[in-house]
Amino acid sequence: MRIWDASHLPRQWFLPLLFSLLLVATSLLDLASAKKSSPTITTTVFGYPLHGLFYFKDSEVVLAYDRTAGRVHRSTDAGAHWDTVNDIPDGKVAELFQHPYDRKKAYVLSREHRHWYTHDRGETWTQFRTPASPSPSRPPLSFHAGDSDRIIYLGVECHGFFECDEVNLLDLGQHTLKSSSLQAYVTTDGFSTEPTRLRKNVVSCDFARSSELFTTGHDGTDQDRILCIVKGSYSPWSKDYRLVISDNYFLEETEPELALGRTVKGLVNMAAVKKFLVVAAKAEGTDEMALYVTNNTETWHQAEFPSDHRVEQDAYTILESTDYSIQVDVMTTRPSSAMGVLFTSNSNGTYFTRNIEHTNRNRHGFVDFEKVQGIQGIVLVNVVDNWEEVERSSYVKKKVQTKISFDDGRTFKKPKVGKEDLHLHSVSDSRNAGRVFSSPAPGIVMGVGNTGKYLKPYDDGDLYVSDDAGLTWWKARDGPHKYEFGDQGSVLIAVPDGKKTKEIHYSINHGHDWETANLREEVHAQVVTTSPDSTSLKFILAGTKGKGFKIQHVLFSIDFDGLHERKCKSDDFEQWWARLDDEGKPDCLMGSTQYYMRRKSDADCFIEEEFNDPKPGYEKTCTCTDEDYECDYNFKREGDNCVPAGPVLVPDGECKDPEGVFMGSSGYRLIPGNECKPKGGPKKDEMIERKCQESVNPPASGKLSHEITPFTAYRFSEYYYLERTETSRGDDETIIMRTDHDLWITHDHGKNWEELLKGKHIIDVYIYPHSYFKDVVFFVTNDETVYYSINRGKKIHSFKAPSRPNEKGLPVLGFHPNRKDWLIWTGAEDCRGSSESDCHSNAHLSKDRGDTWTTLRRYVRKCQFITEEGRGKEDNNENLIYCEQYPNENTDGPLQLVASYDFFAEEPTVHFKDIVDFATMSEFIIVAAKAEDRKYLKAATSVDGKTFADALFPRGFDVPEEAYTVLDSSTHAVFLHVTVGNKEGHEYGTLLKSNSNGTSYVLILDGVNRNEEGYADFEKLKGLEGVLVVNIVDNFEAANNGVAKKLKTMISHNDGAEWSLLTPPDKDIEGKAYECKGSSLDECSLHLHAYTERKNPTHTYSSPSAVGLMMGTGNVGEHLKNKTDADTFISRDAGITWETVKKGSYFWKYGDQGSIIVILEDSNPTNTLYYSLNEGRTWKEHQFSNKKMLISDISTVPSDNSRNFLLWGSVQDEHERISTVNVDFSGLRSQECRLDETNPEGGDYYLWKPRHPLQSDDCLFGHVAQYHRKRPEADCYNGRLIPQLHSIAENCTCTRQDFECDYNFQRQNDGSCGLVPGLSPADHSQICLDDPNAVTWYEPTGYRRIPLSTCAGGRELAYLESKAHACPHHEEEFEKEHRGRLTGFRLLLIICIPILAATGVGYWVWRNWNGKFGRIRLGEGGSGSSMIWDAERPWIKYPIMAIAVVVAVVISLPDTMRRVGRSVWSRVRGGGVGGAGGAGRYTTRGSFARGRADYDVVETDEGELLGEDSDEEVV
């Protein structure tokens, strides 16, 4: 090898050579330091698109994941080169999360229990495990803003492949109702160890410190406090969701008072907004939301909006807000033509004022609103100029304009390009990731749009730039572009959008001049992005090339480093003022002016301070102005003034003299955080003198008031209440009423009436309140025009229906339970003119509240949305529709039941080919179909809308063709009244009750009275589980022969398992004993007139809000007498005991949740009513008219929560013209009652416990329930609806009252259940076929548990002495489950030893009880001394049990320990809390005419029977 050595060269050569080498080196250095002519572009091709791409803050590390292959990719040089993360197995990546508060942490979640985290920006990954798979319905991770190791994880527990407890609810006996149920877990060490369970049955959870600006005010609670929206204590329904808070990981929890001393139900969402926490609540029956705001989690306030606006579900958007206010956009139109109003709150988030109206938004809730980043007070919005036309018709194209505000939304102007208006595409039409217009680059703003009068389509737009935060603009490039900002605005990049391109364009002087760089690949640009702080010189462009299966996904790394030769120095920057006033001077906001030191646009340098965010400077030299003040707490803005929103707060020690004065708030305060200087400006927050009378609510007058309104008509045809819910704004009590020829509305419960649709020249109009949304009402005319209101009649709109209303007397409109705008119209076709013989009905669908229609099915009788909360779990159940259709367009043929999940786009499923009708109630769908011989009816039931099971009636009990009536299913069982005697005027039937899935029916009572129309004397007490009242025909055999019916009233306190007569009062109203006093209950009991005799079906015995109270009219004796002989009675303990109220028959109505009861003489002219304020203990008289009136009805809001009542009647000497009389009780009391859930009996309320009259304890359905009731002596009003159920205090051991007779068994005279002669027990092995996971079935004992019962242990009659069998293919599991059960020897020990040991006790009992021990007969009751020695009595039961337990425990402890987990689980599934509060929506019988069949009559003659209509809600 030869080595070159310069020393060997001649000296004369050396110096020239050295000089030449130096020249070459210098040239190379110059070449290296020269600026580049274009950016460096690196290309990476992927087979699938990357999702979730993000930069780790303050680094060039980028992560993204391939959703198809389930792998993560990582780049350490801002996208120039990519590597696959090998620590995570391929196919396992389901989601990728960046920690929002830690710049080095990220998380990869799988769909299973294994997941991964990184604490070093993805360089290494560590596996961690969770007990549950991630939530599919809510974000699975919630982060702590102050401690990055604290994370909440939401998961779904799974026990096997595809066997997850996402559906897990109440025990309903054999049937488990299904609904999403998430579990929350928490880690405090960043998943270094497995997270621990936080709470079950959650909806969502967040740390209180979930925003960097939010604080509870205490370090300890900032660290540990967690808020969760959870399911109701005893209800799975969303209407009962509530908010709970804990500081010790839910070892203890509290429920905060969100609204005026009351907790709130129906919570649906929670969000952190800067320094605020906001929760949203929605009550059942409305989509109006209530927002509750806190800045410390201790004190909450309901957000108040102007009275002409309301917040609706899916119709409000919380926008990017300031540090001192919340911005919300509220949609004010239908979604198909969405527009809104922008509101801004005061500094504590409670009162909102209007900024700008008619904001543009899309149907997904995205609002054209953006704050210019990093600069206070500059906002760009888009508004709709032709809003009136758009409101009238969704077919009208919006004319959108852009407006900009420089003063935080107080005033707006149009942005300008020279003298022309500029309009820009915004958030609702965003084409890139991240912000639309701005970045942290100070004052540099870009957008795509056009000049002119209105915004043009995106493809017709050009790229515009502003470098003074939107004050002035210029066109930068032709055509639409995607764009991004780099190096604090030193570099702007733009990529042509909407077409293929090989080029990108960039500017290094604020967009005044542009250069072009070649990508060398022709792509469709998808996203262009850079580091979140826009300080980098590197960008990433994502695009696609190719077509179809050959499509490729390309990532370009674009590096501008080197385009300038030097780094900027101090003289390359200028002081740039962020906002200027009309005179060009720095403008004040929040007491200061704002500026940035910004690179000059023509500076030949780059800032090159990567990850060093630009910092604003402030000069605090501003004098206070009116804009620096806001309304003080408990004041609200009206116009330009702040007025009291309630009593003015009084300083301690003031107002000892009520007539005195005090120095109080002026109504204004300086906005917190505002640093303006008071000197020289208005001092609006100085205290002013106020009267002490302003500090309290005005005192009650102590008097009732009334208001009479006459009408020039002869009858009230119909009326409906549009009741506000708990989350509805306002104080209106709205009624829509139709007389014989006019339509009227009142918003103050009848004090003032206004005629609706006046001047419309409508011949006929019918009122159709929405079945599920109480604010919505439709007015159907005799042609295609339909009028409607979505705000309780405040504003009327209209649409054109696809045809005239049907002429078959069928429901015209059908409604969706969750989608307010989805309608089904059943209209007439070929019913006029020459084709009248083919008159039929077609069903049409609208998803936009009548704007557009599509045909569903032709030749139908009715179509109905089937979705219901708790009914099935498939996502497309929301689209499920049933139709009763005549096949082959033959209306003389049979009706078939067809179903569709896709709005009949494909051929429907035919469930039944020959039906009479179908009904939906709670979780059940019940179909009445004709048997093959068409002589009898058969029933089938479904709980998911997809599969049906035939209903099994008692053997030999054929349902006759004439009729049966579906009564109720609110207690997870269906009650059917089956006609047995149908002789005209002598009708009666048998009452059947189903099991918990509606398939197996047992006879529970014979001879139940009904009328000619098919309605039965059957009623459930509202608000209380399982209490039933019926009238039976005592002489039903004689009635078959035409003898007049003799009726008796019976009551059941355990859902129909046992019945008894009503115990009469001791004395009548005059204090005299009843004539039959002393006779047996069969000869002397209380009998009440029931449903079949009522003029108004809403006059029920009870009220949903007055739990335990009952009223009725009737008599004491052997049978029910004529109504003219009736007196009026009341019960305060759910029908166990009764008192006489008045001599004679009276109407009654409950108000203020039972704290007011009004009665009025029935069927006789009167001008006097009576009322009670103490649950009927005393009564007072009030004269409401100078002239006597014949009152036909008395009404109040359906919840019975108003203090206003309305009398409907006519004045006898005024040609019987009709009048209404409002009676207002609000003047009697001014103080609202106070309820403290932590001390429920410490104030105005007490806890009332219902009980079974045959039990000595307070157990009912296997538990002790406690209900809130106002103390009768409390001088206050209830006001806001109180949560009736306080708690389930405890579960009880099982007794006879927890069981009912099984299929083919019936109740015997002694109360036991005996097999019906000639019949066989049901085949219980069927459970193995119905449930493939079932392991064991038991032979029938004659008893089955009442679905509502939650009892455990005790007398388990369903399994007592029953033999267990293994289900097929589960023999091994059965052996494991039953292994170690009692052998003969163990049984000998357990039986004999206790008997020998208890001999002394037994001998003493035998000596002291003259009846000796006899046999124990199931259902046998007793009273007096004989009950003392009942084997169930503690002094008999427990001595024997104690000894037996000791022996049994010693022997079976090992087995017990092995089984405890299994036992607990079976109890959770089979013996958990049931029913309380868990029922869905229930309505009255007449609502079947509206398609809400909760009390449905099925007859082959007419298909359905429609009685008096009422859509009053019953809970």
Side-chain angles (χ1 to χ4, degrees), residues 1175-1191:
E1175 297 183 346
R1177 290 171 174 83
T1178 60
W1179 296 86
K1180 296 182 180 180
E1181 182 180 324
H1182 174 73
Q1183 182 176 321
F1184 58 82
S1185 172
N1186 292 327
K1187 298 179 180 179
K1188 288 193 174 184
M1189 297 177 61
L1190 183 63
I1191 302 299

Side-chain angles (χ1 to χ4, degrees), residues 255-257 259-264 1153 1232-1247 1267-1271 1276-1278 1280-1286:
E255 189 172 355
E257 295 178 346
L260 299 175
R262 299 283 172 88
T263 58
V264 173
Q1153 303 173 58
E1232 187 173 15
C1233 300
R1234 181 80 179 181
L1235 173 64
D1236 182 359
E1237 285 279 11
T1238 61
N1239 183 21
E1241 295 196 292
D1244 296 317
Y1245 294 88
Y1246 70 99
L1247 294 179
Y1267 291 84
H1268 295 293
R1269 289 243 298 241
K1270 177 181 167 290
R1271 296 183 183 278
C1276 58
Y1277 65 93
N1278 281 306
R1280 186 184 180 90
L1281 278 170
I1282 61 173
Q1284 242 75 44
L1285 181 63
H1286 171 69

